[in-house]
Amino acid sequence: MADTAGVTSASALQAAETRFTDNAIDAPRVQAMALLAHTLGTNRAGVLARLRDPLADRDAAVFEDLVTRRLAHEPLQYILGRAHFLDFSLRVGPGVFIPRPETERLVETALRAWNEDHAWAIDLCCGSGAIAVALARARPQARILAIDRAATPRQVTRQNVREHQVGDRVTVCGGDLLTAIALTRRTGDGLGAIVCNPPYAASGEVVQPEVLDHEPALAWEAGPAGTEIYARLVPQAAELLRSGRPLLLELGYGQAQAVRDLFAHDGRWGQITIDDDFQGIPRVLTARRR
Ligand SMILES: C[S@@+](CC[C@H](N)C(=O)[O-])C[C@H]1O[C@@H](n2cnc3c(N)ncnc32)[C@H](O)[C@@H]1O
C-alpha cells in the first residue's frame, strides 16, 4: 500500500496517474480522476476545486483500494458502478456487459431503420439494457421487449429502465435468442425492428484482461467461429419479421462478409447494408425481410 501521510488530492492523483502509466492502463489521468472523484463523492470539477486540500486518511485508503483494483484490470465502469452510453449513464456491475461506444452506432442506425408507425421493437441480448433504454428514450410512444438469457443482465436492465423512467414501456424477459417469442397477428404487425448486439468473439480470441477476467464469457464469446449466434438468429428473425422490417446486428471485426453470407444462405432477406463505426470498421448490418 502506498504511503498516504501528507497527501493532497493533487499528489494522490499524480501518483495514481504514474502507476497507471507504468502499467499501460489507458487514459491514465482520466481514469485516476474518475476514481478520485468517486472516492470524494464529487465530479471532475469538484476534484479540481480541491486539488491542494489534504486527502483525509479514510479517503486516501479508499482511493488506494480503487486504484489497486484498476491496476488488477477490473474495468473502470465496474469500479464506478456506472457506464456512459450516448447522452445518459447506466448501472453496470459484475455479470453485466459494459456497453461500448460502437453500440451507439447500432442504436443510431436502428432509429433510422425502424419505421415510427410500428409500435414496438426487440432489444435482443439486452445486457445492461443500454439499447432498450436508448430506443425507448428516443421513441416516447414505442414499446421495447428486452431479452437476455442470463438473470443478472435482466435484473440490471429492469433497474436501468426504471431509473430512466421507461419501465412502463420496456418489458424484460428471459430466453435463448428469439425461441421464446410467439407472435399473434396483431403483435407481429406491430413489430418494427429487431436490434441485437450478440456475443461475437471466437473462442480463444485474444481479448483484453478487463474482458477476459471480468466480463461474463456468455456476453462476448460466441463459439469456435465467432459467428454462431448470428447463424442461429438469422432464420429465427426471418420467421418473426414482416416484409420490409429490419434486423440490425452489431458485427465483430472482420465478420461482415461471413454474416452477409448467412443472410444470403437463408434467402429470405433483401437490402443488406453495412455501416462503419467511428473508426471506419464495418460494424452495423441492417437486413430487411423480403
Ligand atoms: C455483447 S452483450 C450485449 C449487451 C448489450 N446489448 C450491449 O450492447 O451493451 C451480449 C448479451 O447477450 C446475452 N446472451 C448471450 N447468449 C444469449 C442467448 N442465446 N440468448 C439471449 N441472450 C444471450 C448475454 O447474457 C449478454 O448480456
Side-chain angles (χ1 to χ4, degrees):
M1 171 152 170
D3 178 12
T4 57
V7 169
T8 62
S9 290
S11 65
L13 196 57
Q14 184 56 55
E17 182 183 349
T18 303
R19 291 164 75 194
F20 286 163
T21 305
D22 292 347
N23 287 277
I25 301 286
D26 272 359
R29 180 82 182 172
V30 173
Q31 300 213 29
M33 177 65 88
L35 292 177
L36 186 56
H38 187 69
T39 302
L40 299 175
T42 184
N43 55 18
R44 185 172 180 277
V47 173
L48 292 175
R50 47 170 127 152
L51 274 180
R52 292 184 185 174
D53 294 356
L55 200 57
D57 287 349
R58 200 186 52 241
D59 290 336
V62 170
F63 183 54
E64 171 63 19
D65 177 55
L66 302 187
V67 169
T68 303
R69 287 168 60 187
R70 188 66 196 96
L71 285 167
H73 295 284
E74 184 171 342
L76 180 69
Q77 294 90 338
Y78 282 176
I79 298 173
L80 302 177
R82 298 201 69 88
H84 288 286
F85 190 72
L86 292 165
D87 59 346
F88 59 91
S89 84
L90 298 142
R91 287 169 193 238
V92 292
V96 177
F97 188 79
I98 299 164
R100 305 296 205 270
E102 296 80 35
T103 307
E104 297 176 352
R105 179 52 58 90
L106 175 65
V107 169
E108 289 159 5
T109 310
L111 287 169
R112 283 197 300 274
W114 170 18
N115 182 330
E116 301 213 21
D117 295 342
H118 302 144
W120 67 287
I122 295 175
D123 170 10
L124 182 59
C125 299
C126 64
S128 64
I131 296 171
V133 170
L135 295 176
R137 278 164 54 99
R139 293 275 172 92
Q141 307 304 323
R143 305 188 71 84
I144 312 294
L145 178 63
I147 300 171
D148 204 288
R149 189 174 195 165
T152 305
R154 294 198 298 272
Q155 191 187 347
V156 172
T157 292
R158 287 194 183 97
Q159 292 174 338
N160 280 322
V161 298
R162 272 200 302 273
E163 179 179 316
H164 287 283
Q165 297 169 355
V166 293
D168 56 334
R169 294 185 291 114
V170 178
T171 304
V172 183
C173 74
D176 175 14
L177 298 181
L178 297 169
T179 52
I181 308 297
L183 298 181
T184 62
R185 186 186 180 115
R186 192 177 63 80
T187 54
D189 282 348
L191 175 58
I194 298 173
V195 186
C196 181
N197 176 19
Y200 53 62
S203 312
E205 192 173 316
V206 177
V207 294
Q208 293 174 307
E210 278 78 355
V211 178
L212 185 65
D213 298 337
H214 296 278
E215 293 190 88
L218 180 70
W220 52 269
E221 187 176 356
T227 50
E228 284 81 355
I229 297 278
Y230 304 117
R232 292 183 55 221
L233 175 56
V234 168
Q236 290 180 12
E239 292 296 320
L240 295 188
L241 287 167
R242 299 282 194 262
S243 175
R245 315 283 169 94
L247 167 63
L248 294 111
L249 299 174
E250 181 168 321
L251 302 174
Y253 180 79
Q255 291 179 325
Q257 191 55 51
V259 180
R260 253 185 201 280
D261 291 348
L262 293 171
F263 283 91
H265 177 75
D266 183 81
R268 289 174 283 181
W269 304 86
Q271 278 191 39
I272 293 183
T273 53
I274 295 185
D275 289 280
D276 291 351
D277 66 18
F278 53 90
Q279 291 181 293
I281 296 169
R283 188 62 73 183
V284 177
L285 182 147
T286 308
R288 288 189 187 270
R289 183 73 167 83
R290 229 198 280 282

